[in-house]
Amino acid sequence: METGQQLRVCLIGTGYMGKCHALAWNAVGPTFEDVPKPRLELLVEVNDRLAAKRAEELAFARSTGDWQSAVEDPAVDVVSIASPTWFHSEMAIAALASGKHVWCEKPMSLKLSDSEKMADAAAKAGTIVVLGYNYIQNPAIRLIKKLIREGAIGEVNHVRVEMDEDYMADPDTPYNSFFSGPQAGGALEEFGVHPLSLLQTLVGDVAAACADQWKPYATRRDADGVNQPVATHDIAGALLRLDNGASGIFVVNRAAWGRKGRLVVQLYGSRGSIYFDQERLNEMRLYTSSDDPALHGYRQILNGPLHPPYHKFVPTPGHGLGFNDLKVIECREFLKAIAGEPAHIIDFNKGLRIERSIDTLARSVNSRTWEQVIQ
Ligand SMILES: NC(=O)c1ccc[n+]([C@@H]2O[C@H](COP(=O)([O-])OP(=O)(O)OC[C@H]3O[C@@H](n4cnc5c(N)ncnc54)[C@H](O)[C@@H]3O)[C@@H](O)[C@H]2O)c1
């Protein structure tokens, strides 16, 4: 790409996350006035017809049903990968080989060896790579990071991270290929990376883990009413030892009735504690032992213009950002990194560290002992 030239974007996939990427690419220029508006060049879907339809809806100039040619297209500078996880490594490595910057959804891939290949490809390409860890972009999470850095809760000695949803809670959800087979994954593989991304951002990485996982429903009925064995685990948990010596507890559960997008981080330090829950993403709670003892209690702090980059969306406090806004912020950080500015991102190296932590938990489940993260 020539200096000063408009960045030309290719988007692969337009499902749940692909639409988020498309909205972010459309919004990033108007939201952050200092960002040159990217050109939405090429949209890729599973076939030409769907691609053309989605390109029209999401304001992309061209479309194709062939992702291989798209990632090599000389009129593309950046590839947004929002396809199912089993495509990530092949698509990202091909895009990087063509010298593109890559914004790829989490997790990196289904296999640690593929994630390692992705990190190698990024190192060789020397272009910018960002993973879709949107939750770290919340102004509340940035505030928590700042508070920890400034010592507001002293030295963090214990953390708890939990992610709970209920999309697998119903025992009558019919058996399908996602419950076994090469593309199957449990809560650990599917979204364990999200709480670990917050852990990495706020405190540090996992050094060792002692984990287990559970199946609330060992069988599910298929379309013919026949009970089929379920290979995946809807619940996983672990004791953690972090790089900085802090202790931790990790729980993920996708069969947790009533929980819709609960992603809780509790941080306990020598001088206070912090509580955050993504289901209430516009607030965090702070307790400091230095407060007047008669007034000891958690203080609720709402996102507002003093918590950047909230002010770029809304000028008044307490009015709230949403999930898609976090993706716009992530897109802005990606553009900052491309421009050579410091950026708040998880690249493939940091992402690989998260994948290695997941692998360590999985090894611990099998060995039934503590396992160290292998670098
Ligand atoms: N960051 C987050 O919070 C978050 C949330 C949900 C999902 N994800 C991740 O996003 C990725 C996509 O998940 P999703 O929920 O959006 O899935 P989805 O099924 O809703 O969307 C996938 C899209 O990719 C398209 N697609 C599939 N194969 C393709 C191919 N060969 N070429 C082009 N397009 C293809 C599909 O037609 C579909 O539009 C996954 O890796 C998932 O883990 C991230």
Side-chain angles (χ1 to χ4, degrees), residues 173-192:
T173 298
Y175 176 89
N176 61 43
S177 62
F178 290 104
F179 292 111
S180 62
Q183 288 157 1
L188 183 62
E189 297 81 15
E190 219 173 51
F191 60 51

Side-chain angles (χ1 to χ4, degrees), residues 13-234:
T14 60
Y16 173 15
M17 272 302 116
K19 185 166 180 181
C20 287
H21 279 234
L23 294 177
W25 281 118
N26 274 287
V28 70
T31 308
F32 294 89
E33 314 82 19
D34 54 340
V35 179
K37 237 175 144 187
R39 176 175 161 80
L40 308 191
E41 180 66 32
L42 185 55
L43 186 143
V44 190
E45 255 299 344
V46 280
N47 58 54
D48 288 345
R49 204 176 49 83
L50 181 60
K53 179 174 179 291
R54 300 299 280 151
E56 167 82 30
E57 290 164 358
L58 298 169
F60 278 71
R62 294 187 287 133
S63 62
T64 175
D66 173 17
W67 71 262
Q68 276 100 342
S69 65
V71 299
E72 291 170 7
D73 193 311
V76 162
D77 306 300
V78 169
V79 179
S80 258
I81 301 175
S83 53
T85 306
W86 51 91
F87 285 112
H88 290 182
S89 59
E90 201 184 350
M91 289 175 173
I93 290 168
L96 289 165
S98 289
K100 315 298 185 197
H101 303 293
V102 170
W103 181 13
C104 180
E105 267 314 312
K106 52 51 63 183
M108 288 176 79
S109 72
L110 295 177
K111 283 199 300 202
L112 183 59
S113 56
D114 284 340
S115 302
E116 286 167 347
K117 285 180 199 151
M118 290 167 79
D120 283 349
K124 274 196 201 96
T127 52
I128 299 298
V129 287
V130 173
L131 287 160
Y133 284 114
N134 21 274
Y135 300 120
I136 70 162
Q137 301 298 345
N138 191 332
I141 296 296
R142 287 158 191 257
L143 174 62
I144 293 171
K145 193 171 167 63
K146 179 170 175 281
L147 287 168
I148 295 172
R149 204 173 42 235
E150 292 171 355
I153 61 166
E155 195 159 328
V156 177
N157 49 53
H158 180 70
V159 294
R160 285 188 214 166
V161 286
E162 296 161 54
M163 188 157 183
D164 301 310
E165 298 195 12
D166 66 2
Y167 60 93
M168 292 291 182
D170 190 342
D172 293 330
T173 298
Y175 176 89
N176 61 43
S177 62
F178 290 104
F179 292 111
S180 62
Q183 288 157 1
L188 183 62
E189 297 81 15
E190 219 173 51
F191 60 51
V193 293
H194 273 310
L196 293 185
S197 74
L198 289 173
L199 202 58
Q200 180 185 75
T201 299
L202 296 174
V203 188
D205 281 303
V206 175
C210 183
D212 204 352
Q213 56 184 359
W214 303 273
K215 292 177 196 175
Y217 315 116
T219 60
R220 288 187 188 262
R221 271 191 292 280
D222 65 15
D224 300 323
V226 179
N227 265 337
Q228 298 287 353
V230 168
T232 53
H233 296 79
D234 295 325

